[in-house]
Amino acid sequence: MTAVDQISFEVGEGEIFGFLGPNGAGKSTTVRMLTGTLRPDKGTALIMGHEIAKETLEVKEMIGVVPEVSNAYTEISAWKNLMLVGELYGLPRKERVARAESLLDEFGLYDRRDGLVRGFSKGMKQRLILCMALINDPPLLFLDEPSSGLDVESKRLIEGVIREKSGGGTTVFLTTHDIEEANQLCDRVAIINRGSMAAIDRPEALKRKISGLNYLDVSFDGATDPRALAKFCDAKEAMKMGDKIRLWADDVDEAIYCISAFASSEGLKIVSLNTLSPSLEDIFVELTKRRE
Amino acid sequence: MSMQKQLRRSVVIAKKDVWIYYSKGPVIVFGLLFPLFLLLAFTIGRNVTIDELFPGLMGMAVFFTSTAVGPAILPWEARSRTLERLVCLPVAVWAILFGDVFASFAFGLAISIVPLIVSVAMGVEVEHLLVLGVGMVLAAFCFATLSILLSAYPPTDVPATVMMLSSMVRFPLVFISGIFVPVEGLPDWARAVSSISPLTYFTDLARYSTTGESFYSIHIDLAVLALYATLFLLVSVRLHERYLPERLS
């Protein structure tokens, strides 16, 4: 079984690069190859000029990683976890103490530094793992679904740190399920499906790539069958969305006139009408659907 | 990256293992309680002197304690999802394993000093203390490398499975290694089987340290232990590197 098949891309220095894909697409496998955890069967990957397969340890010294499924040691304290990782990065004691204090404070864990990680919430554990990935102040961060399943506060804190690090010149390689997160955070996004690259571009450019995904949300003052509206306007699709009807159309201008004509013919009043361009989620669904 | 750097990181790994794994239940049970009860079962109701018991006692002490910690470390790390975190760090797989070996070795050596002290306090005269000391160090290291080898396959994340499988290797080894019956007292076929066990050579050294007599020469005893230690370590590293992706999945 091929988990990742001939993918190729570049990430610029200081960029937040998003890697999107459904479950089993090959995101984590790609990250594991780029971080030296897995050896690829074919191909090369250069991380800051070093080939990961040949200079694995040298690359690992320069990167910070938050794996998709990983934990801190729950039997010891947050402080000891950070000291341990700092020592394994070869940081001198004075430096790792200073970095640990600063990171724990930044992530709101300083008061709990001596508590056993066993007693931490999921959000606190993930923040600690991010601290561990940042202890060596790496120029390149690999974050594999760092905010998956977290509370809003932890998620926002992590997103804030990602933006801050990127602003300071750190390159961030982020895999995520959260399309809105990718849309808000990433300079560029790659969409992977079934081990192959489906698209790679800036989020706004991706949204313009697929035609026919414009839609309008219309609300009438009476009950309306979406199928009747779709038939009247010869639209691709219409769907009931709460008290609104969503209509997909190639030509937005024509669709507006048609909706107005429909309302007149049915004796309805238009309560609200919004035109929307496709979201990144729409692009993602469209591209991954095409490949199946 | 220099070997010196990696060895320093191995020591950090060993320190972590001491913090986390020394007090785990299976380590206490398989490393301390089992051999103690085995010894009691062998001695209660039998007319055995402490001098006669000494080589077997030291053999079991070093063997069981040095192989108690090692088998469970990586399965535990895989189950608690700390292994992938560890593998992402700039520490080679061999350095991680060497750290685990060192932790097992330290546990084995430290605990084994207790029965030695107790035996001496009960009147055992250790005529060749240096031989025994060097033997204990080499044997603890050899058995620690064996313990890491025992965890290499299958690449499970269930510590109980590994402890069970390692017991299937360790207990038979105890019975064929001159612990309960000196090698010279075994029939020829049993002596041949006994010669493949590394524990046989340490038990022989322990016997020499109090009686001045051994079945094999001291040099052979020490050389075989060193050879086994090297072999176990090399094979462990190869197997663990090969099966690491499976263990992480």
Side-chain angles (χ1 to χ4, degrees):
Chain A
M1 192 188 99
T2 304
V4 175
D5 190 11
Q6 311 273 359
I7 62 167
S8 182
F9 58 89
E10 284 179 27
V11 178
E13 190 178 337
E15 197 177 5
I16 303 180
F17 186 83
F19 214 55
L20 275 175
N23 285 333
K27 303 187 300 295
S28 291
T29 304
T30 304
V31 170
R32 280 172 165 180
M33 286 192 288
L34 294 175
T35 56
T37 304
L38 280 182
R39 200 166 269 271
D41 299 308
K42 263 193 271 185
T44 55
L46 290 177
I47 310 290
M48 292 178 284
H50 299 271
E51 196 180 324
I52 182 68
K54 289 183 182 159
E55 298 174 83
T56 312
L57 295 176
E58 286 77 8
V59 170
K60 286 182 179 181
E61 290 233 305
M62 296 188 286
I63 63 175
V65 184
V66 175
E68 182 188 5
V69 184
S70 74
N71 235 332
Y73 291 101
T74 55
E75 297 93 341
I76 56 179
S77 67
W79 182 260
K80 265 190 168 163
N81 267 282
L82 277 176
M83 288 297 104
L84 172 71
V85 173
E87 255 187 295
L88 290 172
Y89 271 115
L91 298 179
R93 182 172 168 76
K94 219 172 167 180
E95 190 181 336
R96 66 177 183 264
V97 166
R99 296 269 320 144
E101 283 177 348
S102 166
L103 285 166
L104 287 170
D105 186 47
E106 189 179 350
F107 282 86
L109 295 172
Y110 190 76
D111 290 341
R112 297 290 299 268
R113 65 191 180 283
D114 294 323
L116 294 183
V117 174
R118 181 180 292 134
F120 282 20
S121 67
K122 184 172 176 174
M124 289 168 71
K125 280 182 189 168
Q126 193 68 354
R127 281 185 266 154
L128 175 60
I129 288 165
L130 199 43
C131 289
M132 289 158 77
L134 290 168
I135 189 80
N136 64 325
D137 196 17
L140 171 58
L141 261 181
F142 286 92
L143 306 176
D144 197 347
E145 312 221 17
S147 51
S148 175
L150 296 187
D151 57 273
V152 170
E153 189 192 339
S154 296
K155 207 165 160 173
R156 284 193 175 178
L157 181 63
I158 289 169
E159 286 174 4
V161 169
I162 291 172
R163 282 196 186 93
E164 188 198 318
K165 291 296 168 196
S166 174
T170 302
T171 307
V172 179
F173 188 97
L174 171 73
T175 74
T176 180
H177 271 135
D178 189 334
I179 295 165
E180 191 50 32
E181 182 179 75
N183 187 41
Q184 295 290 331
L185 275 179
C186 300
D187 298 306
R188 280 191 308 145
V189 164
I191 296 175
I192 181 171
N193 189 32
R194 293 183 172 219
S196 299
M197 202 71 92
I200 177 169
D201 211 328
R202 293 176 297 110
E204 290 306 313
L206 278 177
K207 289 175 194 175
R208 287 194 294 273
K209 262 186 171 28
I210 313 290
S211 63
L213 284 188
N214 298 301
Y215 52 88
L216 301 91
D217 281 352
V218 56
S219 173
F220 297 106
D221 67 346
T224 314
D225 184 356
R227 287 169 296 182
L229 177 60
K231 194 174 173 187
F232 188 91
C233 293
D234 196 25
K236 290 164 64 162
E237 195 180 340
M239 188 191 295
K240 187 174 181 296
M241 306 278 284
D243 66 341
K244 292 175 277 295
I245 294 173
R246 180 163 288 180
L247 191 78
W248 277 265
D250 286 329
D251 189 328
V252 170
D253 184 56
E254 199 178 298
I256 290 172
Y257 281 114
C258 186
I259 289 169
S260 182
F262 176 83
S264 293
S265 72
E266 297 290 318
L268 296 166
K269 274 191 179 167
I270 296 173
V271 173
S272 68
L273 177 65
N274 290 304
T275 61
L276 299 131
S277 53
S279 68
L280 194 57
E281 183 174 336
D282 295 324
I283 305 301
F284 175 81
V285 169
E286 180 68 18
L287 285 173
T288 52
K289 193 173 66 184
R290 275 183 186 184
R291 291 239 163 191
E292 280 168 16
Chain B
M1 184 173 292
S2 75
M3 186 166 279
Q4 199 184 13
K5 256 191 188 175
Q6 288 296 299
L7 283 172
R8 271 206 291 270
R9 292 171 195 190
S10 294
V11 173
V12 179
I13 298 279
K15 206 165 54 172
K16 176 262 297 172
D17 291 341
V18 170
W19 287 340
I20 294 169
Y21 297 106
Y22 271 22
S23 58
K24 292 277 189 198
V27 171
I28 306 294
V29 169
F30 286 91
L32 300 178
L33 296 181
F34 262 42
L36 178 63
F37 287 123
L38 200 61
L39 185 71
L40 287 174
F42 180 67
T43 55
I44 285 178
R46 298 179 71 217
N47 198 12
V48 186
T49 66
I50 185 69
D51 288 297
E52 287 166 331
L53 264 181
F54 181 77
L57 170 67
M58 290 309 300
M60 279 206 293
V62 175
F63 184 63
F64 278 106
T65 54
S66 302
T67 56
V69 182
I73 296 174
L74 284 179
W76 240 309
E77 298 251 0
R79 188 172 75 168
S80 58
R81 304 295 192 185
T82 51
L83 182 59
E84 182 145 10
R85 179 89 274 286
L86 196 59
V87 167
C88 289
L89 296 170
V91 192
V93 172
W94 71 260
I96 295 174
L97 295 175
F98 201 79
D100 295 343
V101 165
F102 193 66
S104 302
F105 159 78
F107 185 79
L109 197 61
I111 303 287
S112 302
I113 287 172
V114 175
L116 174 61
I117 293 172
V118 169
S119 302
V120 168
M122 288 176 72
V124 171
E125 281 185 28
V126 181
E127 293 172 11
H128 303 279
L129 188 60
L130 183 63
V131 168
L132 182 65
V134 171
M136 281 175 70
V137 168
L138 205 43
F141 187 79
C142 175
F143 302 145
T145 57
L146 172 63
S147 76
I148 300 304
L149 178 60
L150 291 173
S151 72
Y153 193 84
T156 178
D157 64 351
V158 182
T161 303
V162 172
M163 297 311 276
M164 197 173 61
L165 290 172
S166 72
S167 295
M168 282 171 56
V169 170
R170 294 189 298 163
F171 281 96
L173 274 181
V174 167
F175 286 99
I176 65 164
S177 301
I179 295 278
F180 300 113
V181 178
V183 174
E184 48 269 29
L186 294 171
D188 288 343
W189 67 265
R191 223 179 276 165
V193 172
S194 176
S195 69
I196 62 171
S197 164
L199 180 54
T200 302
Y201 300 91
F202 174 68
T203 314
D204 198 45
L205 279 172
R207 192 160 277 119
Y208 173 82
S209 70
T210 54
T211 64
E213 289 166 14
S214 60
F215 185 76
Y216 301 102
S217 80
I218 303 308
H219 299 104
I220 286 179
D221 286 334
L222 293 171
V224 170
L225 284 171
L227 201 66
Y228 266 119
T230 310
L231 180 69
F232 290 154
L233 190 60
L234 290 174
V235 174
S236 297
V237 171
R238 288 298 292 268
L239 287 177
H240 276 286
E241 281 179 347
R242 184 175 168 186
Y243 291 107
L244 185 62
E246 218 175 302
R247 200 186 287 275
L248 290 174
S249 62

